[in-house]
Amino acid sequence: MKAKEYFEGIRAEVVKTDKAREMLERMKAREGAKAQSYQAGGGSGDFSDPMESVSQRIDFESKLRQRIADAEEALDEACGILYGANGRGGLAKLKGTHYADAICMYYCQAETWGEIAEIMQCSQKWCRKLCEVGFEFIDRVGWAHIKSA
């Protein structure tokens, strides 16, 4: 697998996990207090069990916890490639921290190019170029060499 494909997969998982967290928050908010109606006969006749939504949220939360754990494991591996197991190796050591930081921010933290450019004080085009060069370097020297640095 090419480095870019690997990190695109990481980004997709981060984005999915973030969306799932947002959905969970919306589900929790729906369980909150509902507005009380004081109109006579003010029901629609529909019966809804408030515990059903709680039960659905608990099931979803369990699945989300596993997804988060899996994503965190994948992120740890990706950060190991970028920064080494001890935080002082990987791509950052072999090629430079700017390359690792650009890849980390876009692919592991799901930041936008604009946000990354602002943080790194360079153009969005340059941030993309840092990632491209970083990926090419990983592919050229190999995963094993990057991980062992």
Side-chain angles (χ1 to χ4, degrees), residues 4 99 102-103 106-107 112-114 116-117 120 122-136:
K4 185 173 184 173
Y99 300 93
I103 293 170
Y106 187 77
Y107 293 93
T112 66
W113 291 117
I116 298 165
M120 296 185 74
C122 61
S123 71
Q124 294 180 37
K125 185 177 179 178
W126 185 248
C127 293
R128 284 188 200 79
K129 186 67 175 173
L130 288 169
C131 292
E132 290 172 26
V133 171
F135 294 146
E136 289 169 3

Side-chain angles (χ1 to χ4, degrees), residues 20-28 57 60-61 64:
R21 282 184 179 128
E22 290 170 8
M23 186 185 305
L24 180 61
E25 289 305 313
R26 286 192 302 272
M27 291 172 81
K28 284 180 180 179
R57 188 211 18 105
F60 180 72
E61 193 170 17
L64 178 60

Side-chain angles (χ1 to χ4, degrees), residues 69-99:
D70 293 345
E72 286 174 351
E73 187 177 317
L75 279 172
D76 286 346
E77 181 182 317
C79 287
I81 292 164
L82 297 174
Y83 300 104
N86 62 4
R88 293 185 295 243
L91 179 65
K93 178 181 177 183
L94 296 174
K95 185 71 176 159
T97 57
H98 282 57
Y99 300 93

Side-chain angles (χ1 to χ4, degrees):
M1 174 183 291
K2 297 282 188 183
K4 185 173 184 173
E5 294 168 347
Y6 171 79
F7 281 98
E8 284 174 341
I10 295 291
R11 181 178 170 85
E13 193 58 37
V14 168
V15 169
K16 283 192 295 189
T17 302
D18 287 347
K19 285 182 181 180
R21 282 184 179 128
E22 290 170 8
M23 186 185 305
L24 180 61
E25 289 305 313
R26 286 192 302 272
M27 291 172 81
K28 284 180 180 179
R30 276 192 305 222
E31 292 170 13
K34 306 284 185 204
Q36 179 69 39
S37 171
Y38 295 103
Q39 295 177 356
S44 64
D46 294 339
F47 174 75
S48 78
D49 181 4
M51 292 310 293
E52 180 67 23
S53 65
V54 173
S55 178
Q56 288 174 348
R57 188 211 18 105
I58 290 170
D59 289 343
F60 180 72
E61 193 170 17
S62 174
K63 292 174 186 171
L64 178 60
R65 246 187 245 112
Q66 184 59 51
R67 177 184 278 174
I68 290 169
D70 293 345
E72 286 174 351
E73 187 177 317
L75 279 172
D76 286 346
E77 181 182 317
C79 287
I81 292 164
L82 297 174
Y83 300 104
N86 62 4
R88 293 185 295 243
L91 179 65
K93 178 181 177 183
L94 296 174
K95 185 71 176 159
T97 57
H98 282 57
Y99 300 93
D101 291 347
I103 293 170
C104 184
M105 283 188 268
Y106 187 77
Y107 293 93
C108 298
Q109 297 172 346
E111 301 284 343
T112 66
W113 291 117
E115 292 166 333
I116 298 165
E118 185 177 324
I119 291 167
M120 296 185 74
Q121 296 294 296
C122 61
S123 71
Q124 294 180 37
K125 185 177 179 178
W126 185 248
C127 293
R128 284 188 200 79
K129 186 67 175 173
L130 288 169
C131 292
E132 290 172 26
V133 171
F135 294 146
E136 289 169 3
F137 183 80
I138 293 169
D139 292 338
R140 190 173 66 250
V141 303
W143 295 93
H145 183 69
I146 296 287
K147 287 180 181 180
S148 67

